[in-house]
């Protein structure tokens, strides 16, 4: 398996991630403001992080944890199938993927943060 935190991501994936990082959705911005700069129990998260052929909404390398936020675009069966396959492929690297709906972040950020903490290793 890959030895670095990017798992062989291509320059194209890095470029796309950079663009996405500069153009976070409003919901991504809400969660990012709560977890960036090691605000969540000292764990460092990266936004729009390249992982192999994918870009994770948020990634903590120390915890091997990806956080994905799903809006209405994820409601179609086709997108759900894609998300399931993508999750499987990321988990092949030993990384856990946790998904939240956008409305969960907007309406109950503290609960989302509490749930994320359950996936972080004890210090």
């Amino acid at each position: 398996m890959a030895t670095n935190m990017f798992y062989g991501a291509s320059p194209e994936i890095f470029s796309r991630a950079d663009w996405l990082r500069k153009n976070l959705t409003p919901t991504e911005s809400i969660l990012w403001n709560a977890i960036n700069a090691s605000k969540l129990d000292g764990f460092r998260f990266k936004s729009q992080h390249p992982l192999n052929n994918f870009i994770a909404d948020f990634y903590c390398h120390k915890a091997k944890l990806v956080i994905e936020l799903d809006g209405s675009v994820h409601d179609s069966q086709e997108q759900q199938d894609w998300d399931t396959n993508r999750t499987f492929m990321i988990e092949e690297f030993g990384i856990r993927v946790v998904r939240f709906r956008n409305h969960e972040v907007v309406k109950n950020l503290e609960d989302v943060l509490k749930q994320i903490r359950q996936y972080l290793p004890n210090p």
Side-chain angles (χ1 to χ4, degrees):
M1 285 292 154
T3 58
N4 70 35
M5 62 193 268
F6 303 106
Y7 299 87
S10 69
E12 293 82 14
I13 295 291
F14 275 92
S15 178
R16 176 78 175 138
D18 185 53
W19 185 89
L20 289 170
R21 199 174 301 113
K22 293 173 183 171
N23 295 280
L24 294 178
T25 68
T27 307
E28 288 170 340
S29 291
I30 291 169
L31 184 57
W32 183 236
N33 287 333
I35 66 174
N36 75 348
S38 302
K39 289 178 187 170
L40 191 62
D41 299 346
F43 285 88
R44 181 176 182 220
F45 283 86
K46 308 260 304 174
S47 73
Q48 304 305 320
H49 183 79
L51 287 170
N52 192 260
N53 294 321
F54 308 105
I55 300 170
D57 289 341
F58 304 99
Y59 177 60
C60 176
H61 188 63
K62 182 176 181 179
K64 298 272 192 211
L65 178 65
V66 163
I67 300 169
E68 290 292 313
L69 300 184
D70 295 342
S72 60
V73 71
H74 294 267
D75 291 344
S76 73
Q77 187 59 53
E78 181 180 349
Q79 186 62 49
Q80 289 175 21
D81 292 345
W82 167 256
D83 289 343
T84 298
N85 185 53
R86 181 178 183 270
T87 295
F88 175 79
M89 293 176 77
I90 291 171
E91 287 178 343
E92 288 289 301
F93 293 111
I95 299 169
R96 176 167 287 193
V97 178
V98 179
R99 304 187 88 83
F100 295 97
R101 298 295 298 193
N102 282 351
H103 66 85
E104 292 178 276
V105 173
V106 171
K107 292 184 178 186
N108 198 348
L109 179 60
E110 287 307 314
D111 187 54
V112 168
L113 296 175
K114 182 179 177 182
Q115 290 180 57
I116 293 169
R117 282 184 176 99
Q118 293 176 359
Y119 296 101
L120 300 175
N122 292 328

